Amino acid sequence: MSSVRRRGFAHERDLARKLWNMGFAVMRAPASGSKAKRTRYPDLVAIMKGTVLAFEVKTTRNPSTIYIKREQVEKLLEFTRRAGGYPFIAVKIIGTGNWRFIPIKELEETSSGNYKITREKLGKGLSIRDLLVIACDHRRIDEYF
Amino acid sequence: MSSVRRRGFAHERDLARKLWNMGFAVMRAPASGSKAKRTRYPDLVAIMKGTVLAFEVKTTRNPSTIYIKREQVEKLLEFTRRAGGYPFIAVKIIGTGNWRFIPIKELEETSSGNYKITREKLGKGLSIRDLLVIACDHRRIDEYF
């Protein structure tokens, strides 16, 4: 396993631990080296009393445009279409250690058919506390944007 | 990884694939060799429109009493307490390839503080189709026992 991949898992574990400590039930996906190949699994799923949040996890050293492959977005949408719930890109800002959560519908399509999160949208991203409000109060994500 | 463990994963994948084909969103846990160590994750979680089913996976060559460690049961109960939903022991009968699903409340405590599924309870276990009925109709598990 490459050191880049290992660090990726460390960030997923960090998010999983934080969400667990806030009261969510959490599942991480099997390693992509396995036969599961992550073709169908989000990186992370967090559930509270029937409210399902599904995440693809990204990291960035400083707030800038983040690119996401079309297939990752489609995988996440298929999962939440079945499970019900909310699909997010979870972004860890490495310097601060803070997490920001961008609902899939806030992504912009690129000319190559993939997706991006603009720096502006990243700045407006939800905090981890906002996720708790959504899960507890069933408050609509729209209220944050 | 031992061949026993590898076969265990093969059975989990078999169940994950069947549930996915029935329309569930499915997550398998990370391998127990990883740092996650499965201390908090069920073997498998299946979700349909906000209804969460959590599983520990067991296999048996022929229908007989099955023993389950107390910590596995507690892990499953903690997960479904947070997520909402239903905790099950999923048992694959190796000879036939059939799966049976035993709700945690049907388990009997052993004198050592662990749990068992009697052969009788295994025979009354839910089929994979019954899970779909529970998830689609929100029919109560009690109706099956």
Side-chain angles (χ1 to χ4, degrees), chain B residues 69-83:
Chain B
K69 286 195 184 128
R70 182 176 198 87
E71 66 204 45
Q72 285 189 297
V73 171
E74 287 176 348
K75 182 178 65 172
L76 208 49
L77 286 175
E78 175 65 14
F79 189 91
T80 52
R81 191 183 66 76
R82 289 164 171 251

Side-chain angles (χ1 to χ4, degrees), chain A residues 24-39:
Chain A
F24 285 93
V26 180
M27 276 284 271
R28 282 176 48 230
S32 49
S34 78
K35 283 192 185 161
K37 283 183 189 148
R38 292 202 174 195
T39 45

Side-chain angles (χ1 to χ4, degrees), chain A residues 13 16-17 19-31 34-36 40-45 47-52 75 78-84, chain B residues 13 16-17 19-31 34-36 40-45 47-52 75 78-84:
Chain A
R13 274 199 301 274
R17 190 178 42 77
L19 291 167
W20 180 268
N21 289 344
M22 289 164 69
F24 285 93
V26 180
M27 276 284 271
R28 282 176 48 230
S34 78
K35 283 192 185 161
R40 301 184 304 200
Y41 302 125
D43 290 333
L44 200 74
V45 174
I47 318 170
M48 187 178 281
K49 310 265 179 246
T51 299
V52 179
K75 181 179 66 173
E78 175 65 14
F79 189 92
T80 52
R81 190 183 67 76
R82 289 163 171 253
Chain B
R13 274 198 301 274
R17 191 177 42 77
L19 290 167
W20 180 268
N21 289 344
M22 289 165 68
F24 285 92
V26 180
M27 276 285 271
R28 283 177 47 228
S34 78
K35 283 190 186 162
R40 305 185 301 202
Y41 302 124
D43 289 334
L44 200 74
V45 174
I47 318 170
M48 187 179 281
K49 311 266 178 243
T51 300
V52 179
K75 182 178 65 172
E78 175 65 14
F79 189 91
T80 52
R81 191 183 66 76
R82 289 164 171 251

Side-chain angles (χ1 to χ4, degrees), chain B residues 2 9 21 37 47 62 69 93 112 116 118:
Chain B
S2 76
F9 287 147
N21 289 344
K37 282 181 188 148
I47 318 170
N62 34 43
K69 286 195 184 128
I93 319 291
S112 62
K116 65 179 178 182
T118 60

Side-chain angles (χ1 to χ4, degrees), chain B residues 70-125:
Chain B
R70 182 176 198 87
E71 66 204 45
Q72 285 189 297
V73 171
E74 287 176 348
K75 182 178 65 172
L76 208 49
L77 286 175
E78 175 65 14
F79 189 91
T80 52
R81 191 183 66 76
R82 289 164 171 251
Y86 306 99
F88 291 96
I89 306 295
V91 182
K92 187 175 191 177
I93 319 291
I94 300 283
T96 64
N98 286 339
W99 288 90
R100 283 286 171 268
F101 302 90
I102 320 299
I104 284 291
K105 69 180 177 52
E106 298 296 328
L107 268 50
E108 293 175 26
E109 205 168 344
T110 66
S111 56
S112 62
N114 292 302
Y115 293 90
K116 65 179 178 182
I117 299 167
T118 60
R119 190 176 165 156
E120 190 204 346
K121 281 280 163 65
L122 183 59
K124 286 188 187 171

Side-chain angles (χ1 to χ4, degrees), chain A residues 98-133:
Chain A
N98 286 337
W99 287 91
R100 283 286 170 269
F101 302 90
I102 320 299
I104 285 290
K105 69 181 175 53
E106 299 296 327
L107 269 50
E108 294 174 27
E109 205 168 344
T110 66
S111 56
S112 61
N114 294 300
Y115 293 90
K116 67 179 177 182
I117 299 167
T118 60
R119 190 175 167 160
E120 189 204 344
K121 281 281 164 63
L122 183 59
K124 285 188 186 170
L126 277 62
S127 72
I128 201 163
R129 295 261 153 221
D130 295 331
L131 296 185
L132 193 60
V133 174

